Amino acid sequence: MYPIRRNRRLRTNEAIRSLVRETIISPNDFLVPLFVVEGKGVKEEIASMPNYYRFSLDLLEGEVKSLWSLGLKSVLLFVKVPDNLKDNKGTEAINTNGLMQRAIKAVKNVCPDMLVMTDVALDPYSSYGHDGIIENGKIINDDTVEVLAEMSLSHAQAGANFVAPSDMMDGRILAIRETLEDEGYTDTGIMSYSAKYASAFYGPFRDALDSAPAAIKDIPKDKKTYQMDYSNRFEAIRETEMDIDEGADIVMVKPGLCYLDIVREIKNEVDVPVAVYQVSGEYSMLKAAAEKGWLDHDAVMMEQITAIKRAGADVIASYFAKDVVKLLS
Ligand code: PBG
């Protein structure tokens, strides 16, 4: 039909572009990951994640208030566990006075309306840096699931709104849902890391929590027996549908950028909200390129976040959340 249809008419100036724009980013899109450490007065930068920090509980309170004032209303908590509290079974994970349990209360104390989600997996508590219990060189599924259910219950008891199992054990969503129901935590939600790939993009996160899989004889060196093979697509749909059947309220695809095909496919397939985790390595890559002056940090950040939402993300977990919201305002 050219030239009756000239597509450039809708791109003539910012007014018309903004009028027909399909994907709009707002503070409501974000879930902010927070790293928590023991101690007092600690705000330490993570070496491989420039301008991202671990906070002790006292300073976490100020950070949470500042997020709230920016319109960021949901956080996802991770804890860095001291080495002497780590073991194979993740015993510390169910300590009712553990760092995670205290962190949940600290956030709720300064900001009762902040939505608190917690990471549920054994790796920060495991002396081997794995998300499951190890026996004879293998990650044992069902015994791990029992601990994950207890861990979830203890987070709910401490006041978490949602638990977010990131371990990829089979059957954990059902076990967690049943435990929460049995104990009366019917309103505690589950955001399942449903399609979580075995990815090299998690490197900086493992620095942040000192949780990399151990290089010890007879201990698996990677997470490929539980996290998904990045060559697979159908498997992501199967994992996600099973988690919904087991009771997941929100499902997730992780990492983000390399997996937007999966995000769109799942978004088309399911009727629950889909979260996407733009992971640590994605954050660090852009920070490094920007530091070198090779990429325009803010422009690339917005392009990436918009692409994630355009692909179908209802929720975006991102270390850029604060930067994005400040840029928007
Ligand atoms: C722990 C967990 C990981 C991430 C979130 N939860 C690391 C892993 O599975 O090894 C990665 C997040 C990131 O890289 O930003 N189970």
Side-chain angles (χ1 to χ4, degrees):
M1 285 294 257
Y2 178 84
I4 293 172
R5 293 212 61 88
R6 286 184 184 269
N7 293 326
R8 290 182 56 194
R9 279 182 210 121
L10 294 179
R11 300 177 203 141
T12 311
N13 53 47
E14 178 54 21
I16 183 65
R17 286 194 298 271
S18 59
L19 191 66
V20 300
R21 190 161 289 140
E22 297 173 35
T23 308
I24 311 288
I25 302 297
S26 96
N28 298 332
D29 294 318
F30 292 102
L31 175 58
V32 185
L34 289 175
F35 297 116
V36 186
V37 281
E38 291 286 4
K40 258 200 152 76
V42 184
K43 178 183 176 183
E44 50 191 16
E45 192 173 29
I46 298 151
S48 51
M49 298 180 71
N51 203 31
Y52 221 81
Y53 300 87
R54 304 180 194 93
F55 294 96
S56 55
L57 292 179
D58 51 339
L59 296 191
L60 182 69
E61 298 187 355
E63 180 66 10
V64 165
K65 280 193 218 161
S66 109
L67 293 175
W68 187 263
S69 69
L70 289 167
L72 291 160
K73 301 187 292 290
S74 304
V75 294
L76 177 58
L77 301 180
F78 296 94
V79 291
K80 182 169 188 285
V81 180
D83 277 344
N84 64 321
L85 295 178
K86 297 185 183 186
D87 63 20
N88 183 25
K89 293 204 151 120
T91 312
E92 177 62 14
I94 53 176
N95 176 356
T96 50
N97 198 35
L99 183 56
M100 177 62 92
Q101 289 77 359
R102 280 177 283 134
I104 298 165
K105 289 177 191 159
V107 175
K108 285 291 183 187
N109 195 32
V110 286
C111 204
D113 296 326
M114 181 69 84
L115 187 88
V116 175
M117 297 201 185
T118 58
D119 187 61
V120 171
L122 297 194
D123 52 333
Y125 301 94
S126 159
S127 31
Y128 303 122
H130 274 289
D131 295 36
I133 299 167
I134 297 183
E135 262 173 41
N136 304 320
K138 289 202 168 112
I139 314 290
I140 306 299
N141 194 87
D142 298 5
D143 292 350
T144 300
V145 167
E146 276 179 37
V147 182
L148 296 172
E150 278 183 69
M151 186 178 176
S152 300
L153 176 61
S154 101
H155 294 180
Q157 286 166 337
N161 301 98
F162 268 74
V163 292
S166 67
D167 55 284
M168 290 298 281
M169 296 301 123
D170 289 324
R172 87 269 207 228
I173 302 302
L174 182 62
I176 292 169
R177 189 69 267 160
E178 284 181 345
T179 301
L180 292 174
E181 295 294 314
D182 288 348
E183 300 293 330
Y185 290 92
T186 51
D187 293 339
T188 307
I190 302 176
M191 178 177 76
S192 172
Y193 289 63
S194 312
K196 175 169 177 177
Y197 287 88
S199 169
F201 283 100
Y202 307 151
F205 173 96
R206 294 174 187 169
D207 293 343
L209 296 188
D210 185 24
S211 62
I216 305 175
K217 188 178 167 297
D218 297 331
I219 301 297
K221 308 256 177 303
D222 56 47
K223 299 189 174 184
K224 290 180 182 170
T225 70
Y226 45 106
Q227 298 177 350
M228 284 177 44
D229 184 337
Y230 57 67
S231 310
N232 296 351
R233 193 158 66 89
F234 295 121
E235 191 183 0
I237 296 172
R238 188 161 71 239
E239 281 280 3
T240 304
E241 285 176 340
M242 284 178 72
D243 283 357
I244 295 169
D245 288 345
E246 290 179 31
D249 301 283
I250 301 174
V251 294
M252 185 196 279
V253 176
K254 178 181 175 191
L257 283 178
C258 293
Y259 297 83
L260 296 186
D261 55 330
I262 308 295
V263 174
R264 172 45 60 187
E265 199 145 339
I266 285 175
K267 178 67 186 167
N268 289 346
E269 205 69 32
V270 308
D271 55 7
V272 301
V274 177
V276 173
Y277 201 139
Q278 184 186 40
V279 302
S280 56
E282 302 181 59
Y283 174 86
S284 304
M285 268 195 316
L286 176 50
K287 290 289 171 190
E291 244 170 50
K292 282 187 169 281
W294 292 347
L295 286 177
D296 176 337
H297 179 274
D298 290 352
V300 173
M301 170 180 78
M302 288 312 297
E303 187 174 336
Q304 292 184 335
I305 291 287
T306 306
I308 289 171
K309 187 166 180 185
R310 191 191 63 226
D314 300 293
V315 176
I316 305 171
S318 172
Y319 304 101
F320 288 116
K322 244 172 116 174
D323 293 343
V324 169
V325 170
K326 283 184 185 163
L327 193 66
L328 291 177
S329 63

